[in-house]
């Protein structure tokens, strides 16, 4: 449901770019410039591998954690149509995690290690899932607008340089487009329903507007510039570019449903063609991403519970003689 | 139409079993021991809830209310599901063994319904059996691999078998319509279905080094087919209808 390196972390772990073989590095960069895909068995600089693992892993975690706020509504979905659709949607999200962990494993990190890093807080996931889905309408807003934001990220990233990640994203995007239609259909029903249904939807939008504005990450002017990552086609569009694209595509649709967006300053500047808006609270964003959001503890606790309760199953299925993850390069 | 009441009773039992079992299966999404199991249970949940919708649709064609009304606006006492499917998911061992017992039982019944004298049921059974085959395959694979994987896996599954087996027999609780349905060629008796089911699962359990426990008489889990349910069913229904009850007449 998500996929952008919204926060680029610079650290000194591992081989620095200056220490790489300059000839191999030049060949590698030339291939990317020509639009070729890098495959698991190909040579790649350490920094590229590290950033990709971090990004794909963060994306995979977002899918499994993202299954939780919506998952709790499967058992309450009103009627067969919604119940079946929501089950299918959340199943897709878990399926995306499976695809993405597999893509990240081609870079040499096992799924178990990645999940361990999720549980010990070393590895992040999308901030939005640290907010609660309070009512049925919240699930509708998530399925429509959060998935819409995710599609913008993912379509962009599917043009990236790492073959396995791009291929996973193409499949994910095809499925996400159904989620978006489901979410939109649910929102339309609420928006055109009874007064209390409309209110439920408006309240949900009010709650989710800040997380939606946070979704594509901090504004370019305060986030670390990732020129190298752009050149390597790990990151393909800036956070602000993606946010603008989202607002362009969805603000008119939100208004069309008769909903009010809780930002009086939101408008499109006719001269620049850009959307102007009140900056959401980026301190809150940082606070939540670092663990202090309304649901961080609960989300990780559920994940930890599932891991611990399921350990005996994994142990019983494990065949010690088999090697499960073999880095190809 | 002849045998209408008996036929409706059968359809209610089928539909309610699949709905509640599917609902329980869906509770594993996000909590499975490995991602592949979250996905498998989600997939089987969709199939089962889908089957229940098909059976409720048949009931609607026979004059009952529409599927959403029957499923989401009925009190527990009117449900005809077996108590087995009502039980909470508990740990994975229980859920896996329930899935094994339930799906082989459902498959045995559906296979028999492929020869039903009621043509609509026959058509539906033909459709469903194509998918149910995979539910059984999944159950068998997981049970065998885990039970033969290590000692811990085996003893946890054995414990789950001991708990779940008497409950599973509630799927074949005799009803007042059994004989009538069998005589009309609509559905074989519960006793004969149970026998066939046991013939199918016993060798599989032996292969997995698991054994069936003794069952007390009379079976304490009987009653569901007559509307006597555990409190778990009422809790489940309260949860399932939480949104729809906010505004029962609205379109969601």
């Amino acid at each position: 449901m998500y996929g952008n390196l919204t926060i680029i972390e610079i650290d000194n772990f591992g081989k620095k770019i200056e220490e790489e073989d300059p000839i191999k590095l030049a060949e590698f960069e030339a291939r990317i410039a020509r639009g070729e895909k890098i495959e698991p068995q190909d040579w790649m600089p350490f920094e590229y591998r590290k950033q990709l693992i971090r990004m794909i892993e963060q994306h995979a975690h977002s899918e499994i954690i993202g299954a939780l706020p919506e998952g709790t509504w499967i058992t309450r979905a009103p009627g067969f149509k919604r119940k079946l659709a929501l089950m299918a949607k959340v199943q897709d999200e878990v399926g995306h995690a499976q695809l993405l962990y597999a893509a990240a494993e081609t870079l040499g990190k096992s799924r178990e290690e990645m999940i361990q890093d999720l549980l010990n807080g070393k590895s992040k996931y999308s901030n939005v899932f640290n907010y609660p889905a309070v009512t049925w309408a919240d699930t509708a807003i998530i399925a429509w607008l959060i998935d819409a934001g995710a599609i913008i990220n993912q379509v962009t990233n599917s043009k990236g340089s790492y073959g396995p990640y791009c291929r996973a994203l193409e499949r994910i995007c095809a499925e996400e487009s159904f989620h978006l239609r489901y979410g939109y259909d649910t929102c339309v029903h609420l928006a055109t329903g009874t007064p209390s249904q409309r209110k439920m939807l408006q309240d949900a939008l009010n709650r989710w507007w800040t997380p939606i504005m946070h979704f594509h990450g901090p504004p370019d002017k305060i986030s670390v510039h990732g020129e190298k990552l752009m050149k390597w086609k790990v990151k393909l569009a800036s956070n602000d570019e993606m946010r603008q694209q989202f607002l362009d595509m969805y603000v008119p649709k939100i208004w069309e449903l008769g909903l009010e967006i809780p930002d009086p300053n939101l408008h499109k500047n006719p001269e620049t063609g850009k959307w102007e808006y009140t900056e959401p609270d980026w301190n809150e964003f940082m606070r939540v991403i670092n663990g202090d959001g309304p649901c961080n503890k609960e989300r990780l606790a559920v994940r930890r519970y599932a891991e611990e309760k399921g350990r005996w199953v994994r142990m019983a299925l494990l065949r010690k003689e088999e090697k499960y993850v073999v880095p190809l390069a | 139409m002849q045998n209408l009441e008996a036929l409706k009773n059968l359809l209610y039992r089928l539909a309610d079993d699949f709905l509640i079992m599917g609902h329980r299966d869906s509770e594993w999404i996000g909590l499975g021991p490995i991602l592949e199991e979250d996905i498998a249970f989600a997939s089987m949940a969709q199939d089962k809830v889908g089957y229940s919708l098909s059976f409720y649709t048949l009931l609607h064609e026979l004059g009952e209310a529409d599927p959403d009304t029957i499923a989401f606006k009925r009190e527990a006492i009117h449900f005809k599901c077996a108590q087995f499917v009502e039980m909470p998911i508990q740990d994975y061992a229980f859920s896996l063994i329930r899935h094994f017992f339930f799906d082989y039982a459902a498959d045995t019944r559906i296979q028999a319904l492929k020869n039903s004298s009621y043509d609509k049921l026959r058509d539906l059974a033909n459709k469903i059996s194509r998918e149910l085959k995979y539910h059984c395959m999944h159950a068998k694979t997981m049970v065998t691999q885990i039970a033969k994987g290590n000692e811990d896996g085996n003893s946890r599954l054995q414990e789950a078998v001991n708990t779940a087996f008497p409950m599973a027999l509630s799927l074949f609780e005799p009803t007042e319509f059994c004989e009538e349905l069998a005589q009309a060629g609509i559905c074989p008796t519960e006793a004969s279905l149970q026998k066939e089911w046991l013939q199918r699962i016993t060798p599989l359990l032996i292969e997995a080094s698991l054994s069936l426990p003794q069952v007390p008489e009379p079976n304490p889990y009987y009653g569901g087919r007559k509307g006597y349910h555990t409190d778990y069913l009422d809790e489940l229904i309260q949860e399932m209808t939480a949104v729809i009850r906010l505004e029962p007449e609205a379109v969601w």
Side-chain angles (χ1 to χ4, degrees):
Chain A
M1 189 195 271
Y2 161 86
N4 192 39
L5 211 50
T6 52
I7 296 199
I8 294 165
E9 293 166 70
I10 300 295
D11 59 36
N12 289 319
F13 170 69
K15 204 171 180 181
K16 291 190 187 58
I17 195 74
E18 308 82 62
E19 295 162 15
E20 300 284 358
D21 180 335
I23 297 169
K24 285 182 174 166
L25 182 63
E27 275 170 23
F28 168 82
E29 292 186 338
R31 287 186 63 194
I32 292 177
R34 284 197 299 272
E36 288 175 32
K37 300 285 183 203
I38 303 301
E39 295 298 334
Q41 65 276 15
D42 296 343
W43 184 90
M44 61 188 87
F46 182 85
E47 183 68 17
Y48 177 84
R49 186 185 298 273
K50 183 176 83 177
Q51 292 293 353
L52 266 171
I53 290 176
R54 183 177 283 170
M55 177 161 79
I56 303 173
E57 177 180 6
Q58 187 174 305
H59 187 172
H61 296 332
S62 302
E63 302 280 356
I64 48 167
I65 298 289
L68 300 177
E70 285 180 290
T72 57
W73 286 91
I74 290 174
T75 53
R76 290 174 279 179
F80 275 107
K81 191 171 146 192
R82 300 298 181 212
K83 194 175 178 76
L84 285 165
L86 188 56
M87 277 189 215
K89 177 193 190 298
V90 182
Q91 179 193 17
D92 283 352
E93 308 294 6
V94 182
H96 297 169
Q98 188 199 21
L99 271 178
L100 291 162
Y101 283 124
E105 283 188 324
T106 64
L107 292 158
K109 186 169 181 180
S110 73
R111 190 201 287 185
E112 290 72 22
E113 283 175 274
M114 291 186 258
I115 289 181
Q116 215 39 58
D117 283 349
L118 166 68
L119 295 179
N120 64 30
K122 251 174 83 180
S123 174
K124 303 276 188 272
Y125 55 89
S126 181
N127 229 19
V128 288
F129 304 120
N130 288 319
Y131 291 86
V134 183
T135 68
W136 172 249
D138 294 58
T139 70
I141 293 285
I142 294 173
W144 182 28
L145 295 174
I146 298 294
D147 282 49
I151 291 177
I152 290 172
N153 276 335
Q154 289 166 175
V155 168
T156 308
N157 282 354
S158 70
K159 315 258 183 326
S161 60
Y162 189 58
Y165 187 41
C166 297
R167 289 188 287 274
L169 286 176
E170 276 168 25
R171 191 171 141 188
I172 289 171
C173 287
E175 293 184 351
E176 295 285 3
S177 65
F178 283 102
H179 302 175
L180 188 146
R181 274 189 257 173
Y182 154 77
Y184 182 63
D185 186 68
T186 311
C187 285
V188 168
H189 275 75
L190 295 172
T192 58
T194 66
S196 72
Q197 283 179 310
R198 276 200 297 281
K199 182 175 182 303
M200 188 191 262
L201 185 63
Q202 180 64 58
D203 289 347
L205 179 65
N206 295 349
R207 272 193 291 278
W208 281 86
W209 189 248
T210 299
I212 286 169
M213 291 300 285
H214 282 158
F215 187 76
H216 294 98
D220 300 346
K221 61 177 188 284
I222 64 164
S223 60
V224 180
H225 289 287
E227 280 111 19
K228 192 170 57 194
L229 295 176
M230 290 271 198
K231 186 161 112 189
W232 287 348
K233 295 185 188 165
V234 170
K235 194 170 163 64
L236 288 107
S238 79
N239 297 349
D240 281 339
E241 282 163 3
M242 288 199 266
R243 193 162 17 247
Q244 283 293 328
Q245 200 185 333
F246 173 82
L247 294 170
D248 238 0
M249 290 172 77
Y250 293 97
V251 169
K253 290 195 172 80
I254 296 170
W255 283 339
E256 204 179 271
L257 292 184
L259 294 167
E260 216 173 290
I261 293 172
D263 177 3
N265 297 324
L266 180 75
H267 68 283
K268 195 172 187 172
N269 183 327
E271 280 168 27
T272 60
K274 299 263 184 217
W275 288 89
E276 292 175 4
Y277 46 80
T278 313
E279 281 296 338
D281 183 350
W282 291 106
N283 292 327
E284 175 183 329
F285 175 84
M286 294 311 296
R287 227 174 25 243
V288 176
I289 216 163
N290 288 318
D292 196 19
C295 297
N296 299 54
K297 286 190 184 68
E298 182 192 329
R299 299 284 184 247
L300 283 184
V302 171
R303 201 57 247 162
R304 192 169 291 122
Y305 172 85
E307 284 304 303
E308 282 167 11
K309 291 285 280 186
R311 181 168 294 119
W312 71 269
V313 181
R314 296 192 297 279
M315 293 313 290
L317 291 171
L318 195 68
R319 300 290 171 267
K320 288 201 177 61
E321 64 282 7
E322 278 180 46
K323 265 195 117 178
Y324 290 92
V325 180
V326 188
L328 293 166
Chain B
M1 186 179 178
Q2 275 187 322
N3 314 114
L4 184 61
E5 203 188 342
L7 177 61
K8 280 186 184 176
N9 179 273
L10 171 66
L11 291 173
Y12 267 114
R13 281 186 277 139
L14 281 160
D16 291 347
D17 274 359
F18 277 124
L19 175 67
I20 304 303
M21 194 67 263
H23 181 101
R24 286 296 188 211
D25 280 352
S26 80
E27 292 179 42
W28 275 103
I29 307 177
L31 297 176
I34 42 172
L35 293 184
E36 285 73 7
E37 282 304 281
D38 295 49
I39 296 167
F41 272 83
S43 177
M44 294 187 292
Q46 285 166 73
D47 284 351
K48 285 173 179 138
V49 173
Y51 305 153
S52 77
L53 175 58
S54 302
F55 288 115
Y56 289 130
T57 306
L58 280 190
L59 279 162
H60 185 45
E61 288 167 15
L62 294 171
E64 299 293 291
D66 67 276
D68 274 339
T69 303
I70 308 181
F72 291 84
K73 294 173 189 172
R74 219 171 4 140
E75 284 177 31
I77 192 170
H78 299 300
F79 273 73
K80 296 276 183 282
C81 54
Q83 291 191 2
F84 186 38
V85 298
E86 301 165 13
M87 302 297 168
I89 58 172
Q90 304 175 53
D91 63 352
Y92 178 78
F94 177 79
S95 279
L96 175 63
I97 291 297
R98 172 161 62 180
H99 156 43
F100 175 81
F101 284 147
F102 179 86
D103 278 292
Y104 274 94
D107 190 61
T108 303
R109 189 183 297 273
I110 293 292
Q111 290 295 341
L113 293 176
K114 283 160 83 172
N115 299 314
S116 174
S117 59
Y118 180 49
D119 55 350
K120 287 187 176 174
L121 199 49
R122 203 166 57 223
D123 293 346
L124 197 50
N126 272 311
K127 226 171 101 187
I128 290 176
S129 70
R130 284 199 289 271
E131 290 180 351
L132 221 42
K133 179 169 79 181
Y134 294 100
H135 296 213
C136 293
M137 203 188 282
H138 175 262
K140 185 177 106 179
T141 308
M142 293 307 285
V143 167
T144 313
Q145 289 204 10
I146 292 174
K148 295 180 89 170
N150 63 16
E151 229 171 87
D152 183 42
N154 187 281
S155 74
R156 284 174 192 260
L157 291 194
Q158 182 60 58
E159 206 178 305
V161 166
N162 297 344
T163 313
F165 182 64
M167 297 176 183
L169 290 170
S170 70
L171 293 167
F172 303 103
E173 178 187 343
T175 72
E176 55 183 308
F177 301 105
C178 272
E179 296 302 325
E180 184 185 340
L181 287 166
Q183 272 164 22
I186 297 173
C187 178
T189 62
E190 297 303 306
S192 71
L193 288 172
Q194 177 176 318
K195 194 172 150 206
E196 208 186 319
W197 171 70
L198 283 170
Q199 279 167 358
R200 286 180 75 186
I201 61 167
T202 307
L204 299 176
L205 290 169
I206 292 169
E207 165 66 21
S209 311
L210 295 168
S211 58
L212 291 174
Q214 293 293 318
V215 178
E217 292 278 351
N219 189 317
Y221 301 102
Y222 274 5
R225 304 302 191 200
K226 296 188 181 74
Y228 299 112
H229 296 286
T230 61
D231 290 344
Y232 300 123
L233 180 66
D234 193 47
E235 285 164 25
L236 182 151
I237 291 172
Q238 292 306 317
E239 184 176 341
M240 185 167 77
T241 58
V243 176
I244 237 171
R245 273 185 289 118
L246 293 176
E247 238 179 303
E249 299 314 315
V251 180
W252 292 91

